[in-house]
Amino acid sequence: MNRQPLTVAVVGATGVVGRTMIQILNEREFPVDELRLLASGRSAGRSVMVDGRTLEIGEAVPEAFDGVDIALFSAGADVSRELAPAAVARGTTVIDNSSAWRMDPNIPLVVSQVNPDDLEGHPGIIANPNCSTMQLAPVLMALRDTVGLERVIVDTYQSVSGTGADALAELEGQIRAHVNGEPKSATVYPHPIAFNALPEIDVFLPNGYTKEEWKVVSENRKILGLPELRISCTAVRIPVFVSHSEAVHVETREPVTPERARKLFAAVPGVLVQDDPAAHEYPLATEAAGRDEIFVGRVRQDASIDDGRGLAFWVVSDNLRKGAATNAVELAEVLREREWVSPASVRGARPYRAQASVVEATA
Ligand SMILES: NC(=O)c1ccc[n+]([C@@H]2O[C@H](COP(=O)([O-])OP(=O)(O)OC[C@H]3O[C@@H](n4cnc5c(N)ncnc54)[C@H](OP(=O)(O)O)[C@@H]3O)[C@@H](O)[C@H]2O)c1
């Protein structure tokens, strides 16, 4: 049954991630029998062109999931918390792009090239990681599996498309205002984002980190199965439209040279090494935009760590594609290929359960 074309819903179909999901389902020729595009009541009745066909946007209500095999959710955590269980109750498997379920110990949090086997025991909901986590976990996996990870410091330079359609409009409006000598109004962010760098993404937590920074900490630990991993993050919003960049410093258990690290990174599916500083070649946000790969460059020995056990490098990826939509569609492909679309309970598979220590360490 699972190898047949599927009825697929996209929830949040009018948003920047939802629209990218529709595009990627088409690009990868995911076998869709029927595509149901859902958004809020505000958009219901509007139509969009998909592959030369006009499709109407429906309202995301529980009944809209009748007969849906897989739903890709990208409409925020509140919508996911309310509607994903209702969809599952109607036999739909949900791949959720929000933060609602990511740290739930019963729900797998999956990057397609890192932990696809975690999908087998899914209970009907699968969590797609945060975009900053997504581009980092495959690169860290390469080091975890060879030289071991002791400590990771990551500083992010995140594009405004990570906030959604309103933020794209706000940056563009502020650039125009600047050119016209007019005041810049900020409503999406607490300060103007144009010509600025804002060290505040999502809300502040009692520990002084922002929620975005803590997602990088806790999600990487869960995906990599390393609950004790020493990892810290500073997340910064910058005036770039698409693609997140990350400066990463890693202390490894065993020594590793930059030459070997480049080979380890390049061996990960979906990771491309671009590293020729003499030719000014390194990953760039503008070049990564519209691509599905994770780009790594500026690989060098971290001079602050002894015995050749330190690496520093730069990681860039399109936050809307691999950071969100592409990974969601890749997970749908794995579910279909391995005949894991139905929840584990229906297939008689062992239910997924995160390591207890992962849950305790990140609660
Ligand atoms: N942007 C990224 O790089 C990125 C990466 C990873 C994860 N995410 C996550 O993906 C989600 C969407 O992000 P986005 O960037 O696409 O935001 P967006 O451009 O603001 O789009 C939001 C979407 O959610 C829909 N929506 C809002 N309220 C709804 C409701 N009550 N019922 C049904 N649909 C509703 C909107 O529909 P209307 O048009 O009808 O309002 C729209 O389709 C968020 O959870 C975000 O955290 C985003």
Side-chain angles (χ1 to χ4, degrees):
M1 176 272 190
N2 289 340
R3 294 299 188 97
Q4 301 298 314
L6 302 175
T7 295
V8 176
V10 175
V11 182
T14 54
V16 285
V17 174
R19 281 181 277 150
T20 310
M21 285 171 163
I22 298 166
Q23 193 181 330
I24 288 171
L25 285 166
N26 278 327
E27 280 174 20
R28 296 176 73 99
E29 299 182 348
F30 189 85
V32 176
D33 184 32
E34 183 194 336
L35 183 62
R36 245 175 251 182
L37 304 184
L38 306 172
S40 77
R42 298 179 290 277
S43 307
R46 275 176 46 194
S47 55
V48 288
M49 286 286 282
V50 177
D51 226 8
R53 290 175 302 154
T54 307
L55 291 180
E56 197 168 298
I57 304 282
E59 184 172 358
V61 289
E63 303 73 51
F65 296 96
D66 285 333
V68 171
D69 297 299
I70 295 181
L72 308 179
F73 270 59
S74 192
D78 291 344
V79 174
S80 295
R81 270 189 281 269
E82 187 190 327
L83 276 182
V88 173
R90 288 174 149 77
T92 303
T93 288
V94 170
I95 299 175
D96 182 44
N97 203 37
S98 80
S99 59
W101 310 99
R102 287 181 190 147
M103 295 317 297
D104 186 317
N106 299 314
I107 291 184
L109 175 67
V110 184
V111 180
S112 66
Q113 62 269 68
V114 178
N115 57 335
D117 294 346
D118 284 351
L119 290 170
E120 183 171 13
H122 79 79
I125 300 178
I126 293 148
N128 210 35
N130 175 268
C131 37
S132 308
T133 303
M134 194 84 78
Q135 66 189 66
L136 184 59
V139 179
L140 294 183
M141 173 185 73
L143 300 175
R144 176 199 68 182
D145 292 347
T146 50
V147 289
L149 293 168
E150 283 290 343
R151 183 169 183 232
V152 179
I153 311 287
V154 52
D155 297 327
T156 72
Y157 303 69
Q158 299 185 217
S159 72
V160 297
S161 58
T163 313
D166 292 349
L168 285 163
E170 179 152 303
L171 173 57
E172 197 159 323
Q174 290 173 357
I175 294 169
R176 283 185 206 288
H178 179 82
V179 170
N180 295 330
E182 295 161 0
K184 301 179 197 73
S185 72
T187 54
V188 176
Y189 299 117
H191 307 281
I193 181 64
F195 317 106
N196 223 345
L198 308 181
E200 177 180 354
I201 302 186
D202 210 329
V203 296
F204 283 102
L205 300 174
N207 65 5
Y209 283 85
T210 62
K211 202 169 166 193
E212 182 82 0
E213 291 161 350
W214 208 247
K215 286 175 195 168
V216 172
V217 170
S218 53
E219 292 180 20
N220 271 292
R221 286 175 175 164
K222 181 173 176 182
I223 294 161
L224 294 166
L226 297 174
E228 315 296 337
L229 180 65
R230 290 188 291 146
I231 173 167
S232 185
C233 177
T234 298
V236 182
R237 187 76 67 192
I238 57 164
V240 158
F241 284 108
V242 176
S243 298
H244 293 349
S245 305
E246 297 179 345
V248 188
H249 293 257
V250 178
E251 183 180 340
T252 56
R253 196 160 302 144
E254 293 165 22
V256 57
T257 62
E259 294 71 29
R260 180 165 179 224
R262 285 187 201 99
K263 287 189 185 132
L264 296 174
F265 296 150
V268 179
V271 174
L272 279 184
V273 173
Q274 279 184 332
D275 204 6
D276 186 0
H280 310 287
E281 194 194 327
Y282 31 73
L284 289 173
T286 47
E287 301 297 310
R291 302 277 300 265
D292 284 317
E293 298 89 344
I294 295 161
F295 298 89
V296 186
R298 297 290 323 280
V299 184
R300 60 206 189 276
Q301 209 89 60
D302 185 325
S304 70
I305 299 169
D306 292 336
D307 307 327
R309 292 184 304 99
L311 285 176
F313 47 89
W314 181 245
V315 183
V316 181
S317 189
D318 182 327
N319 53 293
L320 301 175
R321 292 181 70 97
K322 180 60 189 175
T326 302
N327 195 69
V329 175
E330 286 170 345
L331 300 189
E333 288 171 350
V334 175
L335 292 179
R336 184 174 174 276
E337 280 155 20
R338 301 195 190 181
E339 305 197 343
W340 291 346
V341 173
S342 309
S345 56
V346 174
R347 287 178 280 115
R350 200 152 64 106
Y352 171 83
R353 176 83 190 163
Q355 293 162 269
S357 46
V358 168
V359 180
E360 282 158 24
T362 54

